[in-house]
Amino acid sequence: MPSRELTFPLFDADNHLYETREALTKYLPKEYDGAIEYVDVRGRTKIAIRGQISNYIPNPTFDVVARPGAMEEYFKVGNPDGKTRREIFGEPMRSIPAFREPGPRLELMDQLGVQRSLMFPTLASLIEERMKDDPELIHVVIHSLNQWLHETWGFTYKDRIFTVPVITLPIVDKAIEELNWVVERGARAILIRPAPVPGFGGTRSFALPEFDPFWKRVVETGVLVALHSSDSGYAVYANDWEGQRREFLPFKPNAFRQVHEWRPIEDAVTSLICHGALSRFPELKIAVIENGASWVEPILNRLADVHKKMPHEFTEDPVQVFRRNIHISPFWEEDMARLGDLIGIERVLFGSDYPHPEGLSDPVTYVDHLTKLSEEAKAKVMGGNLARLIDA
């Protein structure tokens, strides 16, 4: 039984599955053998991309994982005792079937009191940045992953679990082909990395007119576009300041990098507005997931200031574009009422990040942090808003 019964259904915008070792390779064409390998390094299994070992995810098999919600105290009170990340995570646990398969996960959702959820992959977030010099390979690996997701989880499981396939954008025609493939198999939402898009001639924004055929097809299908926290490639900028050449390591604290943690989503959303994609396609539904909301008010203020100084650069008021198209899933410790005042409570989405350690161990407790909201507003945040986006 759930820890409590609410008077409205819960639709969690941020759940995760843990991939198995075969997720990226089972459907990889033979000519790409060796592009992704699991290797033993001093008794620990690591993932290697084209022969380069990555520590981005320290345990890429997910056989043993941190407990759900292990970092709740950290986000509630901080870290006054200076504990290491390992100490904060506490005793790990072995993965359970509910982290790997939809049937057991549905049973767990019943126990947690969650009616529906978006289900995001976890390992997928390392792919694009580590292959950005080979756009063809990115498309091949992403399709291989999506095939595994469809086979193992399905994209719509009993109309309750909506697994979110990844769409990569380097080659627009291939992105449209992949979009059609997942939608034909029931996808209701797609995951796009909030980052510049790799290409044969360098990177560029996904909001430039080059990508209009893709966005046009997204609108035609009606799918929700999720911009989920990922490795957006911003380690290169921090490395320039710190004199290093290391990859992004999300589980290794770094004060300088943490201060600028939300720069990728700021740039991604700003690009969608300033480069005009959301004005050319006002029907696009964008959900920003696992990026918090602390960056929203500063961005709105900067957009308003720039619009005041150069209105000729915009076809619409950029603040109103943000409020029309962008939906935000804030962290539980943030001020949801304030966010509602900024963008409208209809644009605020409940997301627990379950079962990640950064999330909530008991997703329903998210409602405890909506103390300033009416019951009607709580019902919208906890499920009604996402249901409107998915069921439309």
Side-chain angles (χ1 to χ4, degrees):
M1 291 291 292
S3 61
R4 78 199 67 183
E5 297 283 354
L6 300 182
T7 59
F8 40 78
L10 273 61
F11 196 159
D12 197 331
D14 189 20
N15 267 209
H16 285 269
L17 59 89
Y18 285 129
E19 295 94 327
T20 61
R21 289 175 63 130
E22 65 178 1
L24 299 178
T25 59
K26 181 175 181 179
Y27 289 103
L28 204 59
K30 292 296 184 184
E31 59 266 32
Y32 293 96
D33 278 353
I36 299 170
E37 297 176 292
Y38 287 86
V39 297
D40 182 82
V41 179
R42 294 188 291 275
R44 300 194 66 181
T45 301
K46 298 291 183 179
I47 192 168
I49 309 297
R50 294 181 298 174
Q52 180 70 43
I53 293 172
S54 171
N55 288 303
Y56 170 71
I57 294 179
N59 177 23
T61 66
F62 304 115
D63 292 333
V64 176
V65 295
R67 293 183 179 277
M71 299 181 73
E72 282 187 53
E73 190 69 15
Y74 170 83
F75 288 112
K76 184 182 298 181
V77 301
N79 186 19
D81 298 327
K83 294 179 179 179
T84 65
R85 192 54 60 99
R86 183 178 293 276
E87 290 172 329
I88 291 170
F89 280 168
E91 191 67 26
M93 63 178 287
R94 295 202 68 82
S95 275
I96 58 177
F99 297 167
R100 306 282 205 177
E101 307 166 37
R105 185 53 163 266
L106 207 56
E107 294 177 8
L108 179 57
M109 286 169 57
D110 288 338
Q111 296 170 23
L112 295 171
V114 176
Q115 280 68 48
R116 297 201 283 175
S117 68
L118 295 184
M119 193 68 61
F120 290 94
T122 297
L123 189 61
S125 59
L126 68 73
I127 297 173
E128 293 176 86
E129 183 59 24
R130 285 151 191 80
M131 301 178 181
K132 64 182 181 181
D133 62 326
D134 192 341
E136 292 274 3
L137 178 61
I138 298 176
H139 281 281
V140 170
V141 173
I142 290 295
H143 182 59
S144 175
L145 170 64
N146 286 339
Q147 287 178 285
W148 179 86
L149 287 172
H150 179 251
E151 176 190 73
T152 307
W153 285 80
F155 296 138
T156 301
Y157 185 78
K158 297 187 182 299
D159 204 36
R160 291 185 60 189
I161 296 176
F162 301 92
T163 298
V164 186
V166 182
I167 302 294
T168 189
L169 299 170
I171 303 170
V172 176
D173 288 345
K174 289 184 178 292
I176 295 172
E177 180 181 335
E178 191 71 17
L179 173 65
N180 289 335
W181 190 90
V182 300
V183 169
E184 287 167 3
R185 287 157 181 79
R188 307 279 278 279
I190 57 173
L191 171 58
I192 290 179
R193 185 176 70 132
V197 179
F200 296 107
T203 61
R204 70 278 199 213
S205 165
F206 49 39
L208 295 174
E210 171 190 350
F211 296 94
D212 282 1
F214 172 78
W215 296 121
K216 179 176 183 290
R217 184 61 187 141
V218 169
V219 170
E220 290 170 350
T221 64
V223 294
L224 175 66
V225 176
L227 301 178
H228 191 287
S229 181
S230 182
D231 183 353
S232 294
Y234 276 56
V236 64
Y237 306 117
N239 288 341
D240 282 345
W241 285 99
E242 297 190 323
Q244 300 184 31
R245 296 184 62 187
R246 73 177 191 185
E247 67 175 341
F248 174 43
L249 301 174
F251 299 108
K252 186 169 183 179
N254 178 296
F256 177 77
R257 295 170 191 240
Q258 187 106 7
V259 169
H260 302 285
E261 186 174 9
W262 309 120
R263 182 65 185 274
I265 196 61
E266 292 179 17
D267 289 350
V269 170
T270 302
S271 175
L272 283 168
I273 295 172
C274 293
H275 292 145
L278 295 184
S279 293
R280 296 192 297 273
F281 301 97
E283 303 92 348
L284 278 173
K285 301 179 295 185
I286 308 292
V288 175
I289 310 294
E290 207 179 307
N291 286 275
S294 61
W295 55 276
V296 173
E297 188 166 9
I299 283 293
L300 291 177
N301 290 337
R302 290 201 289 272
L303 285 171
D305 183 62
V306 172
H307 182 241
K308 178 180 68 175
K309 294 172 180 174
M310 48 181 69
H312 54 283
E313 288 288 312
F314 301 88
T315 59
E316 303 178 87
D317 181 337
V319 173
Q320 294 309 313
V321 172
F322 189 112
R323 291 172 174 159
R324 179 187 65 209
N325 291 89
I326 306 297
H327 304 73
I328 306 288
S329 177
F331 297 133
W332 57 267
E333 69 270 21
E334 295 178 313
D335 188 341
M336 263 72 83
R338 177 57 181 161
L339 180 61
D341 290 341
L342 289 170
I343 65 173
I345 204 64
E346 293 78 11
R347 301 290 184 267
V348 181
L349 308 174
F350 148 59
S352 72
D353 195 26
Y354 189 90
H356 283 175
E358 304 95 330
L360 291 169
S361 60
D362 185 8
V364 71
T365 60
Y366 193 98
V367 76
D368 296 338
H369 304 278
L370 306 182
T371 55
K372 300 177 184 178
L373 301 184
S374 67
E375 287 301 304
E376 180 184 6
K378 290 178 183 177
K380 290 180 179 179
V381 171
M382 296 299 290
N385 292 336
L386 184 55
R388 169 177 48 82
L389 293 172
I390 290 294
D391 296 336

